[in-house]
Amino acid sequence: MIVKDTPDTNVSRLESLLTVYSVTASRLIFVEIHGMPSDHLRMLQIIAKYGFRIFNVDENLLCPMCCEYSMINELCMAQFGVVPLGITIPQQIDVRRMDHLDGN
């Protein structure tokens, strides 16, 4: 599944997309996120909630607010010989408390 964040994409739209498509049938997700660090964390937390982990991050050198994330479904890790190093997306952080990092 490939998801590209656009100005009208929001958190609820991403979550509905993940529930409409059988998440267990999706092995990989490639998502490009535009926005503040708290926006990135919010989107990554949602994707992680559905059992995906980051395996690659590509920064966009032309857009410092943009980043591409490649994620793999935890259920498929053994199939591809992936050894998880740890959970890298914290679930307990309240992103509303991070607004000061975004300049708000």
Side-chain angles (χ1 to χ4, degrees), residues 13-52:
R13 187 168 160 206
L14 172 65
E15 191 150 22
S16 65
L17 179 68
L18 289 169
T19 55
V20 167
Y21 289 97
S22 172
V23 174
T24 55
S26 298
R27 296 178 180 161
L28 303 172
I29 293 179
F30 302 99
V31 62
E32 179 178 307
I33 301 174
H34 302 191
M36 296 297 203
S38 61
D39 297 325
H40 288 244
L41 178 59
R42 188 176 296 116
M43 295 290 216
L44 293 172
Q45 284 176 322
I46 288 172
I47 296 170
K49 183 170 80 172
Y50 288 92
F52 287 86

Side-chain angles (χ1 to χ4, degrees), residues 17 21 29 33 38 47-48 56 60 77 82 89 96 104:
L17 179 68
Y21 289 97
I29 293 179
I33 301 174
S38 61
I47 296 170
N56 189 49
N60 185 330
M77 289 180 164
V82 175
I89 303 170
R96 292 171 295 187
N104 295 330

